[in-house]
């Protein structure tokens, strides 16, 4: 099956902007393949009828397109992460993953209908932590499984930046109604998964019954119905210092029609090779600065693609 046939069959509708989107998507994916920006099986994956296989590959195409649209040149190496950016004498590697919705209720993934749906924030957050863990092991290796990662075999250098790009498209289901970047804390899932930020809480004094100002919980682990709790403090664990940042996105086919895709960057405060602020396409960026042993300040600043009002919150 040709790429054109596969995309035409995947998007067969003739109404609204679908025909124009379809043609633009074919153009962008073909250019991606012609430029050798994907692995050898990239075309086969783009032609797959398996939604999960298709989206893993399309995410690379769409994020690569975002880099190009922002004027950021990149290459795809025969061995190594998906993108290599050369910036001011430094190498910045980007590894892309699209978490599958395993464990997320079908009531959330399916059509919304007219009813009220619960927000399965913990199940979604677990998909973020799993995705980050998977791509961290690609870099660092897994001693238990006796695997050597990109860092150990010299593909990624000790002074290189390594960014995990997570496309959350599949975590909002196929009706596409909700952007899937913000968690129960009203901060990004990427922040919750790496900087131990939990839901907003109010403390009530038992004696006076006076309540405190709202604040974010420190949540270092996420409890699962079965199995061991999952860590949510990746960026406070010095083992993960080689990971520079998380590039979080909720990007789909609509982005090829110049529809802005929600994107943000969460920086690792302990990164051995920090990612420069404002480099990647994103509306906002988050970084953490330590106040004392129990508190840090999370700063939100304008991103490269869409300035937003600055926000500063204290977590502790």
């Amino acid at each position: 099956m040709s790429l054109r046939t596969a995309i035409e069959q995947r998007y067969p509708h003739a109404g609204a902007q679908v025909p124009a989107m379809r043609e633009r998507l074919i153009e962008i994916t073909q250019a991606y393949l012609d430029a050798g920006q994907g692995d050898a099986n990239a075309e086969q994956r783009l032609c797959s009828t398996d939604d999960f296989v298709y989206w893993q590959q399309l995410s690379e195409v769409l994020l690569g397109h975002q880099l190009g649209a922002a004027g950021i040149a990149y290459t795809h190496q025969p061995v190594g992460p998906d993108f290599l950016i050369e910036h001011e004498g430094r190498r910045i590697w980007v590894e892309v993953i699209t978490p599958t919705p395993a464990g997320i209720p079908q009531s959330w993934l399916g059509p919304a209908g007219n009813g009220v749906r619960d927000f399965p924030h913990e199940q979604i957050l677990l998909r973020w932590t799993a995705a980050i863990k998977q791509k961290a092991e690609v870099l660092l290796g897994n001693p238990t499984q006796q695997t050597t990662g990109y860092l150990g075999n010299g593909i990624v250098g000790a002074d290189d930046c390594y960014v995990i790009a997570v496309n959350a498209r599949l975590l909002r289901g196929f009706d596409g109604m909700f952007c899937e970047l913000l968690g129960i804390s009203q901060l990004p899932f990427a922040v919750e998964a790496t900087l131990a930020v939990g839901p907003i809480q109010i403390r009530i004094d038992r004696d006076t019954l006076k309540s405190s100002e709202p604040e974010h919980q420190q949540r270092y682990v996420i409890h699962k119905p079965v199995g061991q709790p999952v860590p949510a403090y990746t960026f406070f664990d010095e083992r993960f210092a080689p990971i520079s940042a998380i590039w979080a996105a909720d990007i789909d086919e609509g982005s090829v029609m110049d529809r802005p895709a929600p994107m943000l960057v969460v920086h690792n405060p302990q990164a051995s090779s920090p990612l420069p602020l404002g480099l990647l396409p994103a509306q906002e960026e988050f970084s953490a600065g330590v106040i004392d042993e129990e508190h840090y300040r999370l700063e939100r600043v304008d991103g490269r693609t869409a300035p937003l009002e600055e926000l500063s919150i204290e977590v502790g």
Side-chain angles (χ1 to χ4, degrees):
M1 183 186 301
S2 69
L3 178 65
R4 170 171 288 277
T5 299
I7 291 179
E8 287 177 343
Q9 289 182 1
R10 181 171 282 276
Y11 306 102
H13 304 295
Q17 287 191 313
V18 174
M21 180 277 291
R22 186 170 57 229
E23 288 302 313
R24 181 64 175 144
L25 187 61
I26 292 170
E27 178 186 350
I28 288 172
T29 51
Q30 190 62 60
Y32 172 89
L33 296 172
D34 291 345
Q37 292 171 335
D39 291 333
N41 64 348
E43 182 170 6
Q44 177 185 353
R45 290 166 64 82
L46 287 168
C47 294
S48 176
T49 57
D50 184 309
D51 288 325
F52 299 153
V53 172
Y54 171 75
W55 273 103
Q56 292 292 338
Q57 186 61 59
L58 185 66
S59 292
E60 294 179 25
V61 175
L62 296 179
L63 288 172
H65 180 63
Q66 292 293 317
L67 290 173
I72 302 170
Y74 71 92
T75 59
H76 176 79
Q77 301 300 301
V79 180
D82 298 305
F83 307 137
L84 173 60
I85 301 167
E86 305 272 358
H87 177 73
E88 296 181 353
R90 300 176 65 191
R91 300 200 306 174
I92 299 168
W93 299 91
V94 180
E95 179 77 353
V96 180
I97 186 169
T98 306
T100 60
I104 297 178
Q106 189 59 40
S107 58
W108 175 259
L109 299 173
N114 296 321
V116 176
R117 294 193 291 183
D118 290 333
F119 179 32
H121 58 93
E122 289 191 347
Q123 293 95 323
I124 294 173
L125 180 56
L126 286 170
R127 301 311 298 147
W128 278 85
T129 57
I132 293 169
K133 178 178 183 290
Q134 179 180 336
K135 291 307 182 180
E137 289 186 356
V138 169
L139 175 68
L140 304 172
N142 187 322
T144 303
Q145 299 178 5
Q146 298 182 335
T147 59
T148 302
Y150 291 141
L151 197 60
N153 58 29
I155 294 173
V156 174
D159 296 328
D160 295 349
C161 291
Y162 180 83
V163 178
I164 300 173
V166 182
N167 181 14
R169 169 63 183 89
L170 296 179
L171 304 184
R172 60 175 158 97
F174 295 95
D175 60 0
M177 290 189 63
F178 301 100
C179 168
E180 208 48 74
L181 292 185
L182 296 182
I184 194 66
S185 66
Q186 303 303 302
L187 291 167
F189 280 111
V191 168
E192 294 184 359
T194 57
L195 294 172
V197 176
I200 296 173
Q201 66 181 4
I202 295 175
R203 300 178 187 271
I204 299 177
D205 188 291
R206 292 184 178 182
D207 297 326
T208 66
L209 298 183
K210 290 184 178 180
S211 60
S212 69
E213 293 295 322
E215 61 183 5
H216 284 88
Q217 295 178 12
Q218 284 187 323
R219 178 174 57 183
Y220 287 95
V221 297
I222 309 147
H223 293 279
K224 300 191 298 183
V226 178
Q228 295 295 316
V230 175
Y233 55 91
T234 305
F235 285 172
F236 293 141
D237 187 336
E238 53 186 35
R239 292 178 302 168
F240 297 97
I243 300 172
S244 304
I246 305 299
W247 182 21
D250 186 346
I251 190 168
D252 61 18
E253 314 92 332
S255 67
V256 304
M257 300 298 289
D258 298 324
R259 188 180 77 189
M263 295 184 290
L264 57 93
V265 175
V266 180
H267 294 266
N268 185 351
Q270 299 195 98
S272 53
S273 184
L275 178 75
L277 279 167
L279 175 66
L280 295 175
Q283 289 89 13
E284 52 189 339
E285 304 199 20
F286 293 83
S287 60
V290 175
I291 297 176
D292 55 42
E293 291 183 357
E294 297 183 357
H295 301 81
Y296 69 88
R297 187 171 297 279
L298 182 67
E299 303 285 349
R300 187 183 77 183
V301 298
D302 294 353
R304 177 175 183 145
T305 56
L308 294 175
E309 181 180 341
E310 290 192 7
L311 170 70
S312 177
I313 66 168
E314 183 176 319
V315 180

